[in-house]
Structures are given as structure tokens and as C-alpha cells.
């Protein structure tokens, strides 16, 4: 009978054939790495620099078209060109160019414009103009604010303004009543006083009949109070009798 041998710790380790396979694989990896390093060193000596990321992204590089004469030269041109600007440089925009043009135009205008001393420029001011009213040769003997009405089937208001009883300075014309509307100064009454004129006072009103042109009209002048109506009535009667 054969005697069974007890197992030693060495027997439990990796078998010899597997050790050889592992050693061979590691040797092949080392050799492959060495060949890669040798090829890289050759490339460094011939070209002087390593392949950058830019050349990998150039059209035709790293493809089957690299060895072509036309595409290869085109890729070389692109890779050799460097940008003439940097992201850190100040970039000019269209707005900046427009502002520069405007500033240049303003400078030209300021150069052409002559300097004028303060206060010597020609200024357009509103000038006071004399307006002729036709009352320049008359004297106002009585002035009062009133409201004017005219009978046209019924009493209708003509307007509110200042009523004047005017006398001629040279007594060349008869006294007259002139009334102008407020703000617009439109003439709403212009009648001459004459002998036999019908004039009547009633409370705050002074009513009279007069001629506007060749037409007889009936008018009513409303005053602020009866006393103002009395004063106007007396002034009108005095003007009529003074021409008698």
C-alpha cells in the first residue's frame, strides 16, 4: 500500500502552471507599456511637442483622412493658426461703436459752434403790442360789472362783463354804452344814447330800448344789487339830458 503524504502549505498555494501564466501576462503588459513609451518618445523627438487637444478636434485629424495630402494640409493650417484675441481682452460691441461715433459728431459740432458770451444770445421774447379798441378818444364816466340780456321772444343772456359809459373827449360824438365779455373781450353791447330814449329801472335791472344799426332792440342790464342799478340809471339819464 502507498502511504498517503500529508499536504504541506506550499501545496495549497498557486499551482506551478498558473504561476507561469501570470508571470507571462505581467511580462507582456510591461513590454507593451515599454513599446508605447518608445513610440511616444520618437514622436516627441520628431515633432518637438505632444499632440494637443486642439489638434484632435481639427477637421480630419484622428481619422482615415489624415494621411490624405489635401485634408492633412488643411488640418495643419488650422492647427498652426492661433487666435488673435483672448477672452480676457475687452470686447467692443456695436453700442460702443455707436457711442464713439456720436461722441465724434458732438466734438465736431462743438468745434464748429462759436462760443457766445453769456447773455448775448438772441432771445425771442413776447413783445407787448398796443391794441386799438376804438375807445382811445373817450372817457369812461361810469364803470360797473353786469350781465346783459336781450329780448328775443324771451329774455336771453348775451354775456357777462364790464359795462362802460363813455363820453367823447371833444364832444364830437354822443355818449354810448360799451360792454365787453370777460376773458375774450368780445363786444356784446355798443349803443349810442339819444334824446327820448326809453330807460326804466326795476329792482336789480335797468331796461332800455336802443338801436343796433337800424334795428330796434330791447335790452336788460342786471346789476349785483339795487343800489348799483340806481347809480347806473342816474348815469344814463344824465348822459341823455346832457345832449338835450
Amino acid at each position: 500500500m502507498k502511504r498517503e503524504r500529508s499536504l504541506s502549505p506550499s501545496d495549497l498555494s498557486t499551482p506551478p502552471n498558473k504561476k507561469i501564466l501570470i508571470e507571462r501576462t505581467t511580462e507582456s503588459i510591461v513590454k507593451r507599456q515599454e513599446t508605447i513609451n518608445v513610440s511616444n518618445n520618437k514622436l516627441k523627438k520628431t515633432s518637438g511637442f505632444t499632440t494637443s487637444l486642439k489638434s484632435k478636434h481639427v477637421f480630419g485629424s484622428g481619422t482615415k483622412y489624415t494621411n490624405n495630402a489635401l485634408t492633412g494640409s488643411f488640418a495643419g493650417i488650422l492647427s498652426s493658426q492661433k487666435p488673435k484675441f483672448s477672452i480676457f481682452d475687452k470686447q467692443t460691441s456695436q453700442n460702443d461703436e455707436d457711442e464713439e461715433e456720436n461722441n465724434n459728431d458732438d466734438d465736431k459740432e462743438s468745434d464748429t459752434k462759436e462760443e457766445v458770451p453769456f447773455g448775448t444770445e438772441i432771445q425771442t421774447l413776447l413783445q407787448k403790442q398796443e391794441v386799438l379798441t376804438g375807445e382811445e378818444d373817450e372817457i369812461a364816466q361810469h364803470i360797473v360789472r353786469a350781465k346783459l340780456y336781450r329780448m328775443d321772444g324771451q329774455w336771453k343772456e348775451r354775456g357777462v362783463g364790464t359795462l362802460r359809459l363813455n363820453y367823447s373827449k371833444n364832444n364830437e360824438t354822443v355818449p354810448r354804452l360799451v360792454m365787453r365779455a370777460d376773458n375774450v373781450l368780445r363786444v356784446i353791447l355798443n349803443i349810442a344814447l339819444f334824446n327820448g330814449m326809453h330807460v326804466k329801472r326795476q329792482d336789480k335791472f335797468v331796461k332800455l330800448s336802443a338801436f343796433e344799426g337800424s334795428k330796434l332792440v330791447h335790452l336788460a342790464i342786471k346789476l349785483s344789487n339795487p343800489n348799483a342799478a340806481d347809480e347806473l340809471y342816474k348815469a344814463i339819464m344824465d348822459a341823455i339830458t346832457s345832449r338835450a
Side-chain angles (χ1 to χ4, degrees):
M1 287 181 70
K2 291 184 180 180
R3 255 168 134 184
E4 292 183 359
R5 187 171 59 85
S6 59
L7 297 173
S8 62
S10 61
D11 295 332
L12 297 175
S13 61
T14 306
N17 56 352
K18 290 186 177 181
K19 285 184 179 180
I20 295 169
L21 291 173
I22 292 170
E23 290 176 356
R24 288 179 179 176
T25 54
T26 53
E27 289 177 359
S28 61
I29 290 171
V30 172
K31 288 181 180 180
R32 186 179 298 173
Q33 187 65 34
E34 289 178 354
T35 55
I36 291 171
N37 292 333
V38 170
S39 61
N40 288 333
N41 292 328
K42 289 181 179 180
L43 289 172
K44 288 180 181 180
K45 290 179 181 180
T46 55
S47 60
F49 59 88
T50 58
T51 306
S52 61
L53 293 175
K54 292 182 180 180
S55 63
K56 291 181 180 180
H57 294 285
V58 175
F59 173 78
S61 63
T63 62
K64 64 181 180 178
Y65 299 103
T66 307
N67 296 326
N68 193 340
L70 294 175
T71 57
S73 61
F74 178 69
I77 292 170
L78 291 178
S79 61
S80 63
Q81 290 180 351
K82 294 182 179 180
K84 296 182 180 179
F85 61 90
S86 172
I87 59 172
F88 300 102
D89 295 338
K90 185 179 179 181
Q91 304 295 324
T92 57
S93 61
Q94 185 65 30
N95 293 329
D96 296 334
E97 294 178 357
D98 295 337
E99 289 180 359
E100 290 180 359
E101 291 180 357
N102 293 330
N103 292 330
N104 293 331
D105 295 337
D106 294 337
D107 294 337
K108 291 180 181 178
E109 291 179 358
S110 61
D111 293 337
T112 55
K113 187 177 179 179
E114 296 180 357
E115 293 183 359
V116 180
F118 178 77
T120 58
E121 292 184 355
I122 299 173
Q123 298 180 355
T124 303
L125 300 176
L126 296 176
Q127 296 180 356
K128 186 177 179 180
Q129 295 182 353
E130 184 179 357
V131 179
L132 299 178
T133 62
E135 301 178 38
E136 289 77 21
D137 296 331
E138 296 177 340
I139 300 173
Q141 294 291 343
H142 190 81
I143 300 174
V144 65
R145 282 187 56 78
K147 183 181 290 186
L148 181 63
Y149 293 88
R150 179 177 181 269
M151 174 61 71
D152 189 7
Q154 60 181 356
W155 290 108
K156 294 183 179 180
E157 181 181 341
R158 271 193 179 181
V160 180
T162 302
L163 176 67
R164 297 173 183 270
L165 176 58
N166 291 342
Y167 282 76
S168 175
K169 292 179 179 180
N170 301 324
N171 293 325
E172 294 179 355
T173 58
V174 296
R176 63 172 181 161
L177 290 173
V178 179
M179 187 173 180
R180 297 179 185 273
D182 290 339
N183 300 326
V184 294
L185 302 179
R186 179 175 59 88
V187 177
I188 57 177
L189 178 64
N190 184 15
I191 58 173
L193 303 180
F194 56 91
N195 289 330
M197 186 176 184
H198 177 73
V199 182
K200 181 182 178 181
R201 188 190 68 79
Q202 183 180 357
D203 195 14
K204 296 181 182 180
F205 290 88
V206 175
K207 296 181 180 179
L208 50 88
S209 298
F211 288 96
E212 288 185 341
S214 59
K215 186 178 180 179
L216 181 65
V217 294
H218 301 283
L219 304 171
I221 302 170
K222 184 179 180 180
L223 286 304
S224 59
N225 53 67
N227 292 331
D230 287 339
E231 292 176 359
L232 177 61
Y233 175 77
K234 290 179 181 179
I236 291 174
M237 294 305 296
D238 290 340
I240 292 173
T241 55
S242 66
R243 301 296 296 180

